[in-house]
């Protein structure tokens, strides 16, 4: 007669609870995980899966006992292994540290393997020989060593408490192994793991709830058979210890089911709160009418955007770095930051170039968080004694602001995360991604709109200039002809007056010819032109003038730049005119002021972008920089047609040109020239990060 049949009700009840547990896990495994206890434990679904596997082991153990399969050999081995595996699954669900990362080996695996070997040896040889005894002692030693090393990681329990449990259980394991009480060793390990797991449950969940009380209480009763047996073995005590253990297992299983339900309720509440927060955040961002923001280099339009982000997002500090045409960045907007932090970030932005960001992106200073949000280490951008380091402002979350073709326009910098114990999920980042996309699109829209308005205005001016030039050309020729006759036939005094008339007439004729070139620049053949070689020739040509004016020229034109489709001589005139204008502007700077002229060429999608920037006073009106006859020079120093002709030449080449003022001082002209057809397909893929579109920052 099978004496284990009294466990059938317990087995049936545990099987039902296991089925309920499995149904709950299957129902929720496709739900996105939003964090575990204390924000660090493995995902809730993985934890529940390990709990389910643990209860499968318990049901297997009871099934073998009820079936009477406990003979030495594979039956006993399977039964003992199932008994030991159950608490190991529970333990591993709450303590997932790695013994090694390469290859990744969980501590629970390193801890459980020698335990399983111990069970296998005892299961097949209840009374092992000398080799078996040595093997068992070795397994016990390895298990204790791994447990001690595991306890040194401060995860959920204090180290002293973990080491105390390991020392007590480990000492008992060694003593019982030496006494050859091998069956008791398995019971002791089983009890020790359950006790440690109960402590981990208390530390991990840190609340008083029915699920936790049932789970911890059941595990404590389940884990102390050596203490309970003497108590219940007194004469007159009718309690059966095995039935008490079965009751403890049932209570523990019910407690875990309730814990899962409590977690589901907590996740649903958190999800509802997050949804409300995201909806409010989206409403606030939608209320920002970005289309009316000029986004110029001097304004503070970004401050309102940053203030809104700091008010409603998961981050209490927000800043926007805008890319400047001179290749650096500027702090265009900020919110939630002290004045000292703003100043430190402004200094960081001014000394950071796009090329530098591309360089550090190749290192390990960026960590993908979720979506397009990245965690960045600012260390490579800091200087010795940097204020940011002193303020412990080293790691920030960033999100790039890009055009539709992928060109970098700036970055949204986020810090001061709210609810740091909650991990960031896609719902937290999605509103910011949409806002950043809108900012990039608004900037591009404003840029294109201004370029279109400029083209239409200059086209109208060109038609007017052409008509006026045509109407004035014929009478001016007559004036010139008669002035030449007067010079030849008049008296000495009249000749002087006639010479003045002839000189001014010829000057007027040159202006008319310039107007005609502005309207219709001479169209010549196009050929592949190497921009880097062209700029190098201009640098040699202007070297003497630059040194005489004490102007520091910084030129960056990589040899790997693709060639452009252009008339080399006309583009040379454009570069010379723009650089000479910049040199004239720098010449107006007072003695001792910084005089720097920067020329930078970079590949962008389907074009090469050339930026010529100076540290001079800037344009009086950047939007009118290319208007004919618009000049801020003194009378007699020029008629204001140089940049107008440059504009006409670039437009005739199918390119674009824009004038912008830099922040806090300086000006830049950004020229975009189309690639030669044969090289358009082979333009560098990394060009998308090389810089902003022309006129993309306020032109």
């Amino acid at each position: 007669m099978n004496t284990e049949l009294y466990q059938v009700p317990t087995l049936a009840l545990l099987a039902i609870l296991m089925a309920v547990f499995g149904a709950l896990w299957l129902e929720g495994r496709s739900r996105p995980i939003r964090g575990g206890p204390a924000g660090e434990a493995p995902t809730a679904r993985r934890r529940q899966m390990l709990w389910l596997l643990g209860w499968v082991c318990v049901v297997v153990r009871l099934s073998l006992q009820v079936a009477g399969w406990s003979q030495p050999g594979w039956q006993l081995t399977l039964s003992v292994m199932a008994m030991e595996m159950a608490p190991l699954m529970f333990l591993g669900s709450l303590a997932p540290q790695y013994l090694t990362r390469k290859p990744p080996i969980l501590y629970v695996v390193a801890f459980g393997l020698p335990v399983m070997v111990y069970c296998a040896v005892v299961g097949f040889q209840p009374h092992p020989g000398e080799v078996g005894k040595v093997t068992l002692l070795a397994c016990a030693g390895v298990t204790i060593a791994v447990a001690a090393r595991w306890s040194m990681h401060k995860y959920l329990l204090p180290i002293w408490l973990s080491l105390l449990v390991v020392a007590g259980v480990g000492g008992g394991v060694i003593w019982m192994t030496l006494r050859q009480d091998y069956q008791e060793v398995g019971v002791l390990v089983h009890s020790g793991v359950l006790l440690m797991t109960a402590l981990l449950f208390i530390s991990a969940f840190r609340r008083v709830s029915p699920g936790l009380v049932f789970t911890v209480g059941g595990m404590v009763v389940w884990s102390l058979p050596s203490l309970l047996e003497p108590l219940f073995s007194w004469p007159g005590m009718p309690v059966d210890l095995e039935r008490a253990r079965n009751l403890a297992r049932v209570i523990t299983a019910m407690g875990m089911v309730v814990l899962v339900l409590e977690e589901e309720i907590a996740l649903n509440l958190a999800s509802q709160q997050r949804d409300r927060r995201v909806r409010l955040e989206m409403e606030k961002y939608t209320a920002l009418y970005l289309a009316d923001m000029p986004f110029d280099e001097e304004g503070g339009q970004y401050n309102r955007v940053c203030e809104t982000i700091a008010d409603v997002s998961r981050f209490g500090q927000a800043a926007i770095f805008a890319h400047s045409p001179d290749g650096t960045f500027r702090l265009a907007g900020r919110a939630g930051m002290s004045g000292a932090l703003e100043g430190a970030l402004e200094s960081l932005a001014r000394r950071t170039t796009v090329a530098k960001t591309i360089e550090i992106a190749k290192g390990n200073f960026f960590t993908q968080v979720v979506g397009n949000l990245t965690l960045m280490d600012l260390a490579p951008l800091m200087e010795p004694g940097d204020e940011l380091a002193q303020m412990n402002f080293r790691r920030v979350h960033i999100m790039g602001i890009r055009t539709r073709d992928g060109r970098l326009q700036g970055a949204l910098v986020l810090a001061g995360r709210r609810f740091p114990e909650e991990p960031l999920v896609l719902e937290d980042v999605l509103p910011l991604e949409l806002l950043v996309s809108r900012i990039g699109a608004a900037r591009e829209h404003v840029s294109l709109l201004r370029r279109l308005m400029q083209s239409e205005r200059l086209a109208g001016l060109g038609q007017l200039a052409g008509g006026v030039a045509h109407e004035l050309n014929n009478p001016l020729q007559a004036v010139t002809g008669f002035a030449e006759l007067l010079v030849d036939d008049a008296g000495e005094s009249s000749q002087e007056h006639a010479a003045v008339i002839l000189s001014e007439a010829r000057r007027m004729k040159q202006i008319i010819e310039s107007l005609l070139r502005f309207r219709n620049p001479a169209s010549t053949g196009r050929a592949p032109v190497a921009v880097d070689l062209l700029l190098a020739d201009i640098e040699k040509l202007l070297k003497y003038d630059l040194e005489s004016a004490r102007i520091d020229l910084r030129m960056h034109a990589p040899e790997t730049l693709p060639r452009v489709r252009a008339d080399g001589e006309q583009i040379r005139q454009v570069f010379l005119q723009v650089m000479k204008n910049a040199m004239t502007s720098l010449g107006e700077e007072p003695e001792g002021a910084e005089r720097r002229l920067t020329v930078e060429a970079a590949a962008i999608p389907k074009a090469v972008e050339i930026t010529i920037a100076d540290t001079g006073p800037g344009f009086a009106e950047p939007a009118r920089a290319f208007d004919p006859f618009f000049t801020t020079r003194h009378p007699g120093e020029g008629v204001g047609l140089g940049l107008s002709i440059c504009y006409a030449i670039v437009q005739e080449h199918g390119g674009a040109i824009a004038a912008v003022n830099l922040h806090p001082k300086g000006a830049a002209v950004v020229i975009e020239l189309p690639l030669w057809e044969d090289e358009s397909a082979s333009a560098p893929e990394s060009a998308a990060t090389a810089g902003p579109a022309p006129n993309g920052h306020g032109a």
Side-chain angles (χ1 to χ4, degrees):
M1 180 178 178
N2 194 333
T3 59
E4 301 291 342
L5 291 178
Y6 70 93
Q7 298 197 79
V8 170
T10 302
L11 176 60
L13 185 55
L14 286 177
I16 294 172
L17 290 174
M18 184 187 70
V20 173
F21 205 101
L24 291 174
W25 174 71
L26 289 173
E27 184 274 334
R29 68 175 181 175
S30 61
R31 185 176 304 173
I33 302 303
R34 304 189 179 187
E40 293 184 2
T43 63
R45 302 305 171 203
R46 179 182 298 178
R47 184 173 62 244
Q48 294 170 13
M49 180 188 70
L50 292 175
W51 291 357
L52 177 60
L53 292 176
W55 287 113
V56 169
C57 293
V58 173
V59 171
V60 169
R61 162 75 171 182
L62 285 177
S63 299
L64 293 174
Q65 287 181 331
V66 171
W69 292 355
S70 58
Q71 298 299 319
W74 70 268
Q75 297 178 1
L76 180 59
T77 300
L78 182 60
S79 178
V80 175
M81 282 185 171
M83 179 184 72
E84 300 296 345
M85 283 292 294
L88 285 176
M89 293 295 102
F90 303 149
L91 179 67
S93 69
L94 296 176
Q97 299 99 329
Y98 287 91
L99 176 66
T100 59
R101 288 284 184 177
K102 295 180 180 180
I105 299 176
L106 284 166
Y107 267 105
V108 69
V109 175
F111 177 82
L113 280 177
V115 174
M116 294 299 104
V117 173
Y118 195 108
C119 294
V121 173
V122 174
F124 282 97
Q125 295 182 350
H127 303 287
E130 293 300 324
V131 176
K133 293 177 181 178
V134 173
T135 302
L136 294 178
L137 278 174
C139 290
V142 171
T143 303
I144 295 171
V146 173
R149 182 68 181 86
W150 195 356
S151 299
M152 297 302 294
H153 289 271
K154 186 176 181 181
Y155 179 61
L156 293 176
L157 291 178
I159 295 176
W160 66 267
L161 181 57
S162 300
L163 288 176
L164 182 63
V165 175
V166 170
V169 176
V173 166
I174 295 295
W175 181 64
M176 289 181 181
T177 301
L178 292 175
R179 290 186 54 189
Q180 301 183 15
D181 295 332
Y182 304 126
Q183 300 298 330
E184 285 75 6
V185 168
V187 174
L188 181 59
V189 172
H190 181 84
S191 300
V193 174
L194 281 173
L195 179 60
M196 179 66 76
T197 305
L199 295 174
L200 286 174
F201 266 92
I202 296 173
S203 180
F205 288 91
R206 298 179 183 274
R207 65 172 185 260
V208 178
S209 66
L212 186 62
V213 171
F214 279 111
T215 301
V216 173
M219 281 191 176
V220 169
V221 176
W222 188 4
S223 66
L224 300 178
S226 57
L227 294 180
L228 294 175
E229 189 168 3
L231 293 176
F232 293 120
S233 61
W234 293 350
M237 295 293 290
V239 179
D240 187 341
L241 181 60
E242 192 59 36
R243 285 183 171 82
R245 286 174 177 164
N246 288 338
L247 178 61
R249 293 186 184 108
V250 172
I251 292 174
T252 305
M254 293 178 61
M256 286 189 174
V257 170
V258 175
L259 270 180
V260 171
L261 295 175
E262 290 174 350
E263 283 193 325
E264 292 297 326
I265 294 173
L267 285 174
N268 289 335
L269 291 176
S271 178
Q272 293 175 9
Q273 294 175 356
R274 182 177 284 106
D275 290 342
R276 285 195 295 269
R277 186 170 66 232
V278 170
R279 187 166 55 251
L280 174 62
E281 193 172 350
M282 291 292 292
E283 291 174 356
K284 293 290 185 180
Y285 294 161
T286 304
L288 290 172
Y289 188 62
L290 301 178
D292 65 347
M293 294 187 179
F295 296 107
D296 57 41
E297 292 297 314
E298 303 296 336
Q301 294 82 6
Y302 283 116
N303 284 337
R304 182 153 60 96
V305 176
C306 293
E307 289 169 0
T308 304
I309 293 173
D311 286 341
V312 298
S313 74
R314 286 284 303 274
F315 299 91
Q317 296 175 320
I320 292 179
F321 284 11
H323 182 259
S324 296
D326 61 353
T328 62
F329 292 86
R330 70 181 183 91
L331 186 62
R334 77 286 291 166
M337 299 180 177
S338 63
L341 181 56
E342 291 179 10
L345 287 176
E346 176 68 33
S347 299
L348 180 74
R350 295 308 305 170
R351 65 173 180 264
T352 301
T353 63
V354 173
K356 180 67 174 178
T357 60
I358 295 175
E359 178 184 345
I360 65 175
K362 299 176 182 177
N364 297 322
F365 302 103
F366 291 88
T367 304
Q368 191 71 25
V369 179
V370 61
N372 293 327
L373 189 67
T374 304
L375 184 64
M376 179 182 179
D377 187 353
L378 297 177
L381 299 177
M382 293 184 183
E383 296 179 339
D386 199 294
E387 293 183 5
L388 290 175
Q390 298 175 8
M391 289 183 282
N392 199 28
F393 196 86
R394 297 175 179 272
R395 295 170 67 83
V396 295
H397 289 83
I398 66 170
M399 191 177 293
I401 302 174
R402 298 181 180 275
T403 61
R404 284 175 295 180
D405 56 9
R407 283 181 284 177
L408 185 66
Q409 291 187 315
L412 173 63
V413 179
L414 302 165
R417 195 175 84 182
R418 297 187 177 97
F419 317 114
E421 70 282 355
E422 295 183 13
L424 292 168
V425 296
L426 187 60
E427 289 90 337
D428 297 321
V429 177
L430 183 59
L432 291 172
E433 289 185 351
L434 296 176
L435 176 62
V436 166
S437 298
R438 287 180 59 209
I439 292 175
R443 288 178 60 88
E444 194 169 12
H445 172 74
V446 170
S447 171
L448 293 174
L449 182 61
R450 288 178 177 174
R451 190 184 301 179
L452 178 62
M453 293 173 60
Q454 184 185 57
S455 298
E456 291 179 349
R457 186 180 72 253
L458 291 178
L461 289 174
Q463 292 178 357
L464 176 63
V468 171
H470 179 74
E471 295 298 327
L472 291 179
N473 193 47
N474 290 334
L476 186 59
Q477 287 182 355
V479 171
T480 303
F482 283 110
E484 290 176 347
L485 292 175
L486 286 174
V487 170
D488 295 336
D489 300 335
E492 183 176 348
S493 60
S494 298
Q495 284 182 345
E496 293 180 1
H497 297 147
V500 172
I501 294 174
L502 180 60
S503 174
E504 293 302 314
R506 288 173 176 171
R507 181 168 175 268
M508 293 170 63
K509 185 175 180 63
Q510 291 176 351
I511 293 174
I512 290 174
E513 291 174 351
S514 298
L515 283 173
L516 292 173
R517 287 199 302 272
F518 167 68
R519 181 183 180 185
N520 293 308
S523 178
T524 60
R526 300 287 184 262
V529 175
V531 174
D532 57 312
L533 297 179
L534 194 60
L535 290 174
D537 290 342
I538 295 175
E539 181 180 10
K540 295 176 183 177
L541 182 65
L542 297 178
K543 182 177 180 181
Y544 176 78
D545 294 337
L546 291 167
E547 291 177 351
S548 300
R550 295 189 297 278
I551 295 175
D552 177 21
L553 175 63
R554 301 180 184 180
M555 185 173 294
H556 178 69
E559 297 180 358
T560 56
L561 282 175
R563 294 173 297 177
V564 298
R565 180 180 180 272
D567 177 345
E569 190 57 37
Q570 286 189 341
I571 297 302
R572 182 192 299 271
Q573 293 176 13
V574 171
F575 291 164
L576 275 172
Q577 181 64 50
V578 175
M579 292 179 70
K580 286 183 176 180
N581 277 11
M583 292 168 61
T584 302
S585 177
L586 290 171
E588 300 174 358
E589 288 293 281
E591 190 69 25
E594 182 184 23
R595 297 182 179 183
R596 185 178 72 250
L597 177 60
T598 304
V599 181
E600 185 168 352
I604 61 175
K606 300 181 181 180
V608 170
E609 184 182 81
I610 303 95
T611 303
I612 302 174
D614 64 75
T615 57
F619 295 105
E621 296 181 54
R624 298 188 58 195
F626 303 105
D627 289 4
F629 304 111
F630 178 78
T631 180
T632 57
R633 296 185 184 179
H634 301 294
E637 294 184 359
V639 296
L641 284 172
L643 288 181
S644 301
I645 296 174
C646 291
Y647 174 87
I649 292 174
V650 173
Q651 286 290 106
E652 201 273 335
H653 277 73
I657 184 171
V660 295
N661 281 333
L662 303 179
H663 181 81
K665 183 182 178 182
V669 173
V670 184
I671 303 168
E672 184 180 293
L673 297 173
L675 298 181
W676 181 251
E677 288 83 349
D678 294 341
E679 302 195 14
S680 298
S682 60
E685 294 181 2
S686 61
T689 61
N695 205 20
H697 292 270

